[in-house]
Amino acid sequence: MVTYLPIESAKPQVRQSRQARVVWGARVVTVGGDAPVRIQSMTNTDTVDVIGTAIQIKELALAGSEMVRITVNTPEAAQAVPHVREQLDRMGIDVPLIGDFHYNGHRLLADFPACAQALSKYRINPGNVGKGDKRDKQFGLMIEAAMRWDKPIRIGVNWGSLDQELLASLMDENSRRAAPWDAKSIMYEALITSALESAQRAAEMGMNKNQIILSCKVSGVQDLISVYRELAKRSDYPLHLGLTEAGMGTKGAVTSTAALSILLQEGIGDTIRVSLTPKPGESRAQEVVIACEILQALALRSFVPSVTACPGCGRTTSTTFQELTKQIEDFLRAQMPVWRVKYPGVEKLKVAVMGCIVNGPGESKHADIGISLPGTGEAPAAPVFIDGEKRLTLRGNAIAQEFQVIVENYIEKRFGRDVTTATATIE
């Protein structure tokens, strides 16, 4: 007789990391430690366009981005940053802003103190802070600015702008090995060494280690997995995770999901960004939606009620269930900015919209509220299940509208309560 042990539910591993705090006003976003994985995004507007940039930041924040990075590349952009912050504050958008600096960040932070103060965090790329003798000095000036204004930093290494002097040094060292590494391994080592040595220099200057976040971004899925696994072994800093230049549309979404999901399941990653190239006319916020979906699919966080829907088959005679699924999903997502305050916990709601009786009743019973629409040859009736029990049956041409009203009433009854105040601190 064979004895089987109970199958354990899969769940992400836990990596112990330091905890950083990114602050703006009363808004505190904790990163690392036992904090949830945070979502970041980045604008693609010209920061000098204060209104356009503020509008896009608002869109990203409402979609779920908890920090937004903006380009600070010129004196004009640095001058604009405090005004962007003012516009956001007027709109009631308290999302922290991250300044993205390359090449001239040391000058901009020194010459424009209002910019340095308005930002909540600085991104520093070690490969772009300077060459030769200037590198350490200019890196040091940025660290001094971070300490002066009490701002956390992300030391963000990217293999598209890797420190070439460091890479050359590692290649020379490799040539002297009895069994030389391959080129890819040297590249991995250069990325990790650049991040860790930069963090060490910052700490030696007096930077609080709890104010340092690291990233080593690449554009290949297997490369990212390899680099971050090793980086996680060698440090306890919070790690920002993202597949750089992921691409457009399905390709960008799939490759980002593949890479990030594996690492997040292993407990690696404290903040994430999906670097999606928007399709022409597509909202920049789509990258935030995908990041939210990744974390929700892994059961790491909940952002919006989930909708289970069948793919459709020869049994489903119409597009009614497809239209109803889209209608419910769009409705729930659109309402979330208000519902997060009005209906605490509503993001964990599970809705099922099924097309026929094969799996429809079963899936509907597993959901908080579900409907099984009639398929080919079935009676024109749609049973509705609430909390696992069949409560009523909808008939006629207004099934979709009636079901949406039922969902709204269910949310009000289950999650509704008086909320007079809302904390601005994310814990």
Side-chain angles (χ1 to χ4, degrees):
M1 180 178 179
V2 179
T3 302
Y4 296 96
L5 295 175
I7 298 173
E8 295 184 4
S9 297
K11 54 184 178 182
Q13 299 173 30
V14 177
R15 171 180 175 262
Q16 296 298 324
S17 64
R18 296 175 178 274
Q19 188 173 84
R21 291 159 57 88
V22 183
V23 181
W24 179 255
R27 177 80 176 266
V28 180
V29 180
T30 52
V31 176
D34 58 358
V37 178
R38 302 300 187 186
I39 292 177
Q40 288 190 26
S41 57
M42 185 175 183
T43 59
N44 60 359
T45 58
D46 182 351
T47 306
V48 176
D49 177 6
V50 171
I51 300 301
T53 299
I55 289 173
Q56 188 175 86
I57 292 170
K58 178 181 179 180
E59 180 184 20
L60 293 167
L62 292 178
S65 185
E66 292 158 297
M67 290 171 277
V68 177
R69 184 157 47 112
I70 59 176
T71 299
V72 188
N73 58 336
T74 64
E76 293 76 16
Q79 285 179 318
V81 168
H83 301 295
V84 172
R85 181 73 267 173
E86 290 170 6
Q87 288 293 329
L88 291 170
D89 292 343
R90 290 194 190 105
M91 293 189 288
I93 303 299
D94 59 357
V95 63
L97 299 181
I98 304 168
D100 192 59
F101 295 100
H102 298 271
Y103 310 113
N104 59 355
H106 59 290
R107 291 202 305 270
L108 296 178
L109 287 170
D111 294 346
F112 299 94
C115 167
Q117 190 172 14
L119 294 168
S120 296
K121 177 181 164 189
Y122 308 153
R123 185 276 174 105
I124 304 173
N125 183 342
N128 288 338
V129 295
K131 296 181 180 180
D133 296 338
K134 293 182 179 180
R135 182 182 59 193
D136 289 347
K137 178 182 177 181
Q138 293 174 180
F139 177 81
L141 290 172
M142 297 188 74
I143 298 303
E144 287 175 1
M147 291 190 293
R148 182 182 311 120
W149 298 106
D150 193 23
K151 307 293 183 179
I153 60 170
R154 171 162 70 92
I155 295 174
V157 184
N158 191 303
W159 75 349
S161 52
L162 190 56
D163 184 338
Q164 294 302 302
E165 293 177 23
L166 172 61
L167 182 59
S169 174
L170 291 175
M171 290 175 68
D172 288 342
E173 180 183 329
N174 185 60
S175 67
R176 296 189 292 271
R177 287 191 175 97
W181 297 357
D182 61 29
K184 183 166 284 190
S185 295
I186 299 171
M187 179 71 76
Y188 293 168
E189 184 61 30
L191 287 161
I192 295 167
T193 299
S194 179
L196 294 179
E197 288 187 351
S198 297
Q200 182 178 346
R201 283 199 295 271
E204 289 171 351
M205 290 184 62
M207 185 83 189
N208 185 340
K209 288 186 176 181
N210 291 329
Q211 292 282 68
I212 300 173
I213 299 166
L214 302 183
S215 69
C216 289
K217 288 191 174 183
V218 298
S219 56
V221 172
Q222 297 295 348
D223 299 312
L224 192 81
I225 294 168
S226 297
V227 168
Y228 271 86
R229 280 175 174 168
E230 187 63 24
L231 182 61
K233 289 178 185 177
R234 297 196 204 175
S235 79
D236 63 353
Y237 289 109
L239 302 180
H240 173 66
L241 193 59
L243 193 74
T244 191
E245 288 92 39
M248 181 181 286
T250 302
K251 187 265 183 184
V254 170
T255 53
S256 290
T257 301
L260 271 58
S261 294
I262 290 171
L263 291 168
L264 290 168
Q265 185 70 11
E266 295 177 5
I268 300 171
D270 299 287
T271 66
I272 65 170
R273 183 197 172 196
V274 174
S275 298
L276 194 69
T277 303
K279 296 178 181 178
E282 182 180 55
S283 169
R284 183 70 165 179
Q286 185 64 19
E287 69 174 48
V288 180
V289 173
I290 294 171
C292 291
E293 294 286 1
I294 291 171
L295 294 180
Q296 186 148 335
L298 291 170
L300 287 168
R301 296 187 67 181
S302 296
F303 297 93
V304 66
S306 64
V307 179
T308 299
C310 70
C313 66
R315 291 178 179 270
T316 51
T317 186
S318 72
T319 61
T320 303
F321 81 96
Q322 297 168 325
E323 293 166 355
L324 179 56
T325 300
K326 186 177 189 307
Q327 176 182 328
I328 292 297
E329 283 192 343
D330 290 348
F331 172 71
L332 295 174
R333 192 173 294 280
Q335 296 301 314
M336 281 308 295
V338 174
W339 284 358
R340 284 189 186 99
V341 175
K342 189 176 181 181
Y343 301 125
V346 70
E347 66 275 2
K348 296 182 179 179
L349 177 72
K350 297 184 186 305
V351 181
V353 181
M354 304 299 292
C356 75
I357 61 172
V358 174
N359 294 317
E363 286 286 358
S364 296
K365 289 178 182 178
H366 289 310
D368 295 309
I369 181 168
I371 186 170
S372 178
L373 296 171
T376 303
E378 297 167 17
V384 175
F385 296 81
I386 299 176
D387 294 330
E389 297 181 1
K390 180 180 175 181
R391 296 291 179 86
L392 71 158
T393 300
L394 301 180
R395 294 179 171 85
N397 297 323
I399 288 176
Q401 294 82 358
E402 291 175 9
F403 182 66
Q404 180 170 319
V405 172
I406 292 170
V407 172
E408 289 184 74
N409 290 338
Y410 178 85
I411 290 171
E412 171 67 35
K413 182 178 179 180
R414 178 174 170 183
F415 300 101
R417 67 180 177 85
D418 292 332
V419 179
T420 56
T421 61
T423 179
T425 301
I426 299 179
E427 298 295 348

